């Protein structure tokens, strides 16, 4: 089946427009991914649908790629950027960081079991999986620490056993010397008292 060339104008039928948007968006995202993998390129793609929903792809961090683009544009364009524009940019960056912090704090609260009433089954399942992975890593680390401590205690036990054997030998040697001395002293007294 050969398709004709698509006329480049707005699609009037809303359903057809939505289907075309969805297919072409997926194709564009796929191409962006392929470009980043095949050519080791840093790619960032931002798409807003007519309803305002955001779709994005970034081979690295979206924020870092945008910041890199803005730095590049500053270098390319004449340096007529005003202090006010810099302030505006910093405000946007600050707002973005605040949103990230809020998202991370909300995620942390949810992982602690707080505020999960509004979560969907999928979100709850994702949190449960994340917690299970965390518990698994914690248990593995705990077992490794236990193993190291057991090895250290076994080494200490060997050292103490060797020290015990050395001291026992020394004590037996001293006991033998004492018994010899006591025997000589006892014989000497008996000899003296006989005269």
């Amino acid at each position: 089946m050969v398709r004709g060339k698509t006329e480049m104008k707005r699609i009037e039928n809303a359903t057809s427009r939505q289907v075309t948007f969805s297919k072409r968006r997926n194709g564009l995202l796929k191409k962006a991914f392929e470009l980043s993998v095949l050519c080791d390129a840093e790619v960032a793609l931002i798409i807003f649908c007519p309803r305002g929903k955001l779709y994005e792809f970034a081979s690295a961090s979206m924020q870092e790629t945008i910041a890199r683009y803005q730095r590049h544009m500053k270098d390319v364009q004449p340096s007529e950027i005003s202090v006010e524009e810099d302030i505006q940019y910093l405000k946007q960056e600050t707002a973005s960081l605040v949103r990230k912090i809020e998202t991370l704090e909300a995620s942390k609260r949810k992982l602690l079991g707080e505020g999960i009433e509004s979560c969907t089954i999928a979100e709850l399942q994702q949190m449960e999986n994340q917690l299970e992975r965390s518990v698994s890593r914690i248990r593995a680390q705990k077992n490794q620490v236990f193993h190291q401590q057991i090895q250290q205690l076994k080494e200490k036990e060997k050292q103490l056993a060797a020290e015990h054997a050395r001291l026992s030998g020394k004590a037996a040697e001293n006991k033998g010397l004492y018994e010899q001395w006591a025997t000589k002293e006892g014989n000497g007294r008996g000899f003296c008292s006989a005269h």
Side-chain angles (χ1 to χ4, degrees):
M1 181 176 174
V2 179
R3 287 187 287 184
K5 202 171 194 180
T6 305
E7 186 179 348
M8 284 296 134
K9 68 173 192 171
R10 183 177 185 271
I11 300 171
E12 294 302 322
N13 183 306
T15 305
S16 297
R17 189 169 54 243
Q18 181 59 37
V19 169
T20 302
F21 172 81
S22 192
K23 286 181 181 178
R24 292 198 176 217
R25 178 201 67 220
N26 290 340
L28 190 56
L29 290 169
K30 182 179 177 187
K31 290 291 183 190
F33 170 75
E34 291 171 352
L35 182 63
S36 71
V37 172
L38 295 173
C39 303
D40 197 24
E42 183 174 348
V43 179
L45 174 65
I46 300 172
I47 304 170
F48 286 96
C49 77
R51 295 183 184 146
K53 185 173 179 184
L54 169 68
Y55 299 92
E56 63 180 280
F57 167 80
S59 58
S61 162
M62 179 65 77
Q63 293 298 327
E64 289 175 10
T65 304
I66 290 172
R68 182 177 176 189
Y69 169 78
Q70 290 171 335
R71 285 191 306 271
H72 176 76
M73 293 309 293
K74 282 181 185 179
D75 293 343
V76 173
Q77 295 174 348
S79 58
E80 295 176 7
I81 299 174
S82 68
V83 174
E84 198 149 319
E85 287 175 331
D86 283 343
I87 291 172
Q88 187 63 32
Y89 171 74
L90 291 173
K91 283 181 181 178
Q92 290 172 350
E93 283 294 306
T94 303
S96 173
L97 290 172
V98 166
R99 284 192 300 273
K100 281 184 182 178
I101 290 169
E102 288 171 353
T103 302
L104 289 171
E105 286 177 347
S107 177
K108 177 184 161 191
R109 282 193 300 274
K110 286 180 180 178
L111 288 174
L112 292 172
E114 301 169 8
I116 58 174
E117 297 79 19
S118 62
C119 292
T120 65
I121 294 290
E123 290 172 327
L124 292 170
Q125 184 65 47
Q126 184 181 12
M127 283 188 285
E128 183 180 18
N129 291 341
Q130 187 176 357
L131 287 169
E132 285 173 355
R133 286 190 301 270
S134 295
V135 167
S136 177
R137 285 193 298 269
I138 290 168
R139 283 188 181 137
Q141 180 62 30
K142 183 180 76 171
N143 288 338
Q144 184 179 352
V145 171
F146 279 157
H147 181 71
Q148 289 171 348
Q149 288 179 345
I150 288 169
Q151 292 303 322
Q152 290 170 353
L153 289 172
K154 284 181 178 178
E155 191 61 37
K156 185 85 169 172
E157 181 185 24
K158 285 180 187 176
Q159 291 171 357
L160 290 174
E163 182 68 12
H164 176 70
R166 187 183 70 77
L167 292 174
S168 294
K170 192 87 162 164
E173 182 183 318
N174 287 342
K175 183 179 178 186
L177 291 173
Y178 174 75
E179 288 174 353
Q180 286 176 2
W181 177 80
T183 304
K184 283 183 183 178
E185 284 293 311
N187 288 342
R189 280 189 205 141
F191 180 76
C192 289
S193 59
H195 286 297

